Amino acid sequence: MVQVKQDVCDFCGTCVSVCPVDAIELLEAVLIIDQEKCIDCMKCVIVCPLRALEGTK
Ligand code: SF4
Ligand code: SF4
């Protein structure tokens, strides 16, 4: 599971573009990860420049 630290994220959208299953949705000031779609590939966690995403298995 990937969790978003909403207070760290600056909503740049970088993670959205790397997700292979389109599980990340960026609303105005909220980042939502669809846990049903997410396959725990950790691409978003690696790519986030602010380390706003945390992966836990
Ligand atoms: S890459 Fe990081 S800072 Fe950018 S939208 Fe995703 S979680 Fe937020
Ligand atoms: S871990 Fe992979 S599948 Fe899950 S939200 Fe991040 S990029 Fe998408």
Side-chain angles (χ1 to χ4, degrees):
M1 271 177 68
V2 177
Q3 305 289 343
V4 190
K5 295 180 208 160
Q6 302 283 354
D7 55 330
V8 178
C9 175
D10 69 355
F11 313 105
C12 67
T14 306
C15 58
V16 178
S17 61
V18 300
C19 180
V21 294
D22 284 331
I24 309 175
E25 192 181 356
L26 183 58
L27 301 180
E28 225 160 280
V30 187
L31 195 74
I32 297 166
I33 296 180
D34 186 333
Q35 303 292 350
E36 300 279 311
K37 283 191 188 173
C38 177
I39 54 169
D40 288 327
C41 72
M42 298 299 143
K43 282 188 184 171
C44 58
V45 175
I46 294 161
V47 84
C48 177
L50 300 178
R51 297 184 177 272
L53 295 167
E54 213 162 49
T56 50
K57 292 241 172 170

